[in-house]
Amino acid sequence: TGQSSGLGLGNFDFDNKYGNQALKIMLKGIWNLSDNCLSEVEDRHVVDAISIVDKHLCEVLNAIPAGTDWKAGLNPYDDDGESIHTYYSFLKSFLTGTQLVAFAQKRVDAIKDGRGFHHLMQAVENGEDTAEGMKAKLDAQIEDAKGAGLNFNAVAKLFLYDVGVVQPKASSRRRRMSADKDEKKSSMIINVPKFLNRCLGMPLHRQSMLTNHLIKCLDKRVRDAKSAGDFDIGIQTLTGNNVSVKKTRAFNFRGSEAKDESVLVHSVVIDRGMSSDAALKVYGEAIQADQRGSKIQTGFYIDGRALFKQCTPVYLVLSLGRTSPNAVVVRPNDGRTCFNIDHVMSRFVQPSLRCDDMAKVRKAWDAEFALANIGSDEYYQKWSKGRHRKPTHIFGGKIVPVINKLLAATLPRLDDTHQVSLPTKDIIKPKIVRIEVGSVDEEPGGESVEVVECKNEAIPLVTNVDDIPDDCERAYEVKFEGKVPKLFVGIEFPEKNMDWVIGSDELT
């Protein structure tokens, strides 16, 4: 769509992980009637909501004896049909909740005084009032309703009920007794296609209200992901203070599936830290964003607790806006990391003092950046590891002919009694990654690599546990010449599962 293109999402639509995440966040705000909302409710939609509520309250007030509390009349009757019973139960919960009970009371008072929505419309129809007079009275009631809690999320909850998009009951998530119940549970999940299809059942102005709000939520979700440094559609980008290719080796395959195709094995070295210059630049850009209502304020924080012996830790905390549950923490040794706001508050903000003295910030940042100039498996002080990752191996080039065999060799097999017992969290799966060669301080360029001399004998690509099928493609190592591109995509394989070797030479 044109809207999604405007978000920098290219040619894909809402039906992706960011669209579904945005929808989940949006619906959570609607079900909870949250005060934090990216959209302001329009007056015409408030009028629609008042009309729905007044019609129901008129029926309730006409059915109960005089002097009876109106809330008692909201209960459905035992002999009501299922749809009526469900509707009455929904409106009872909606109107008597903490957020909207004051609004509901105002509507009851207006109906009793002859000022309800339908009274105003009838007065114009009977010639007892003019359209201008009715509009003035209605405008006052609109503002009164907004002040009493009828916000965008409340109006959206009413509209969505009309098309069958309702808040799932908590108990439904625990129904796992049979396949039928599992199927019923899955049918209640609202994804983007289902949500948009349901919206088609609304009047056009309501469709526009909700789809525009979804676009705003998607825009916010994408911006949050970009700020956190993890925005992508299924591909992780390996970046840092400096990314370089230490060595590249090339192998040709001569099997029936891969005639004369080459697989490249890049040994990539990553400095995942961030310099003070880069941190100050990130801060300068982030501070321009609107932070009104945010639980965390963007800024530098210095932790002066005595438990840190080597240096004073410094954190750059980036707010992702008032509706986001997360925030980003930037560290000299670890770059950007996204955390839940509660963790950011307890671990980084509350034990520290905010520092607006950029000279002091730079001095503390440079000191920790220098201390972190060690491997990422070493600590330079409590809770703080070095910024240099161990070399990771990226398979690139024409990898399609051998991808299945590479996967078979690295992933645990179900019939392997030694590996099947591994906890899921300990199984590291290969993933597609994008590598940007260069540093943040200079324009990335091609990286010179070590040239590996050609070997004459044909040797198979194997692992040290002999876990590749017998029909494995035969590999010849060939001479690799030239430069590695400044940007390339490949497959990163896990380090913990197996060690790749070519003949007797490990790929390290």
Side-chain angles (χ1 to χ4, degrees):
T1 64
Q3 292 96 327
S4 63
S5 296
L7 298 177
L9 303 179
N11 294 322
F12 69 88
D13 57 14
F14 290 116
D15 192 14
N16 56 71
K17 69 174 183 179
Y18 293 106
N20 282 293
Q21 288 170 4
L23 177 62
K24 183 178 179 180
I25 294 169
M26 168 182 148
L27 290 178
K28 182 179 179 181
I30 291 173
W31 303 149
N32 295 335
L33 301 178
S34 173
D35 291 331
N36 289 329
C37 190
L38 296 174
S39 301
E40 296 291 336
V41 64
E42 296 181 23
D43 287 353
R44 59 177 174 169
H45 298 136
V46 174
V47 171
D48 279 358
I50 289 175
S51 174
I52 294 170
V53 170
D54 279 17
K55 180 180 178 181
H56 184 70
L57 289 176
C58 282
E59 294 176 0
V60 168
L61 294 172
N62 289 334
I64 61 176
T68 304
D69 186 2
W70 61 272
K71 298 184 187 70
L74 294 176
N75 294 315
Y77 294 114
D78 293 337
D79 58 350
D80 284 337
E82 183 179 357
S83 61
I84 296 177
H85 193 283
T86 303
Y87 183 64
Y88 265 69
S89 298
F90 164 73
L91 283 178
K92 178 183 178 181
S93 173
F94 182 79
L95 295 173
T96 59
T98 305
Q99 297 94 327
L100 290 172
V101 67
F103 160 72
Q105 185 63 58
K106 287 179 179 292
R107 297 318 304 162
V108 169
D109 294 342
I111 292 169
K112 289 181 176 180
D113 294 343
R115 297 180 291 106
F117 176 78
H118 299 90
H119 295 121
L120 297 180
M121 298 297 291
Q122 191 66 43
V124 174
E125 186 176 333
N126 295 341
E128 299 170 1
D129 198 357
T130 63
E132 291 77 10
M134 184 273 291
K135 184 178 183 304
K137 295 171 185 175
L138 189 58
D139 286 344
Q141 292 191 22
I142 289 171
E143 294 305 314
D144 208 24
K146 290 180 180 179
L150 191 69
N151 60 13
F152 181 95
N153 285 326
V155 172
K157 189 171 185 176
L158 271 179
F159 292 171
L160 287 174
Y161 183 89
D162 279 349
V163 293
V165 180
V166 296
Q167 183 175 8
K169 295 180 181 179
S171 59
S172 67
R173 293 195 294 269
R174 296 190 289 270
R175 295 174 183 169
R176 303 182 184 276
M177 300 300 293
S178 69
D180 291 340
K181 289 183 178 180
D182 285 340
E183 183 177 351
K184 182 177 181 180
K185 174 193 168 189
S186 64
S187 68
M188 298 179 68
I189 298 174
I190 301 295
N191 54 25
V192 170
K194 188 172 183 178
F195 174 79
L196 295 177
N197 282 334
R198 293 296 178 89
C199 285
L200 292 176
M202 296 180 178
L204 286 176
H205 67 95
R206 294 185 187 179
Q207 290 183 37
S208 177
M209 163 191 164
L210 286 162
T211 53
N212 286 336
H213 183 55
L214 178 57
I215 290 170
K216 290 182 181 180
C217 291
L218 176 59
D219 183 19
K220 175 68 165 56
R221 178 67 192 93
V222 169
R223 284 189 282 108
D224 287 353
K226 289 181 176 179
S227 296
D230 59 5
F231 172 71
D232 215 309
I233 305 300
I235 300 179
Q236 176 187 359
T237 301
L238 300 182
T239 60
N241 181 63
N242 184 275
V243 178
S244 61
V245 177
K246 179 182 178 182
K247 180 190 294 185
T248 294
R249 300 175 74 175
F251 302 91
N252 275 10
F253 289 78
R254 297 290 188 268
S256 59
E257 298 180 22
K259 293 183 181 297
D260 301 318
E261 301 289 5
S262 295
V263 171
L264 303 180
V265 183
H266 304 283
S267 180
V268 180
V269 178
I270 301 174
D271 173 356
R272 63 185 185 178
M274 183 178 287
S275 68
S276 59
D277 287 340
L280 290 169
K281 182 179 179 181
V282 169
Y283 169 74
E285 295 171 351
I287 202 66
Q288 305 301 320
D290 183 6
Q291 298 186 62
R292 290 176 295 180
S294 298
K295 296 180 182 178
I296 286 183
Q297 296 298 304
T298 292
F300 287 97
Y301 295 82
I302 293 181
D303 192 337
R305 287 179 290 176
L307 59 91
F308 298 108
K309 306 298 184 183
Q310 301 300 319
C311 68
T312 302
V314 57
Y315 319 118
L316 170 56
V317 176
L318 305 176
S319 168
L320 296 180
R322 62 191 178 98
T323 60
S324 176
N326 301 319
V328 173
V329 177
V330 186
R331 296 277 287 119
N333 65 316
D334 209 22
R336 303 180 190 228
T337 309
C338 189
F339 297 106
N340 179 275
I341 282 180
D342 292 338
H343 177 73
V344 174
M345 290 296 295
S346 62
R347 169 66 179 85
F348 300 102
V349 175
Q350 291 172 351
S352 309
L353 293 176
R354 181 177 174 127
C355 182
D356 295 320
D357 183 344
M358 294 301 109
K360 184 177 180 180
V361 165
R362 182 185 289 275
K363 182 177 179 180
W365 196 283
D366 287 343
E368 188 166 5
F369 185 78
L371 277 176
N373 192 26
I374 56 177
S376 60
D377 55 349
E378 301 179 64
Y379 287 91
Y380 58 89
Q381 71 175 354
K382 189 178 182 66
W383 301 333
S384 303
K385 288 187 173 184
R387 51 190 170 91
H388 296 286
R389 278 184 56 179
K390 293 197 310 185
T392 183
H393 299 107
I394 311 297
F395 286 76
K398 302 291 185 178
I399 61 175
V400 175
V402 292
I403 183 61
N404 288 333
K405 294 178 175 62
L406 293 174
L407 292 174
T410 56
L411 291 179
R413 293 193 332 211
L414 294 179
D415 59 353
D416 188 330
T417 57
H418 298 288
Q419 296 193 42
V420 75
S421 61
L422 282 174
T424 303
K425 64 182 179 63
D426 292 336
I427 298 176
I428 306 176
K429 297 181 179 180
K431 55 190 176 184
I432 299 176
V433 294
R434 180 190 293 113
I435 300 90
E436 296 180 1
V437 176
S439 71
V440 296
D441 298 322
E442 58 188 29
E443 195 68 27
E447 185 76 14
S448 298
V449 299
E450 176 183 339
V451 175
V452 180
E453 292 300 324
C454 176
K455 294 184 178 180
N456 294 323
E457 70 275 14
I459 51 178
L461 184 63
V462 299
T463 69
N464 59 4
V465 293
D466 196 22
D467 195 24
I468 291 187
D470 294 335
D471 62 344
C472 174
E473 302 288 350
R474 305 291 287 183
Y476 297 80
E477 184 165 4
V478 297
K479 185 176 182 179
F480 177 79
E481 296 180 318
K483 292 186 176 182
V484 176
K486 65 180 180 180
L487 179 66
F488 62 94
V489 174
I491 297 182
E492 181 181 23
F493 277 79
E495 297 177 4
K496 293 184 180 179
N497 287 350
M498 298 181 182
D499 296 321
W500 279 94
V501 297
I502 300 298
S504 60
D505 298 330
E506 294 189 6
L507 291 181
T508 56

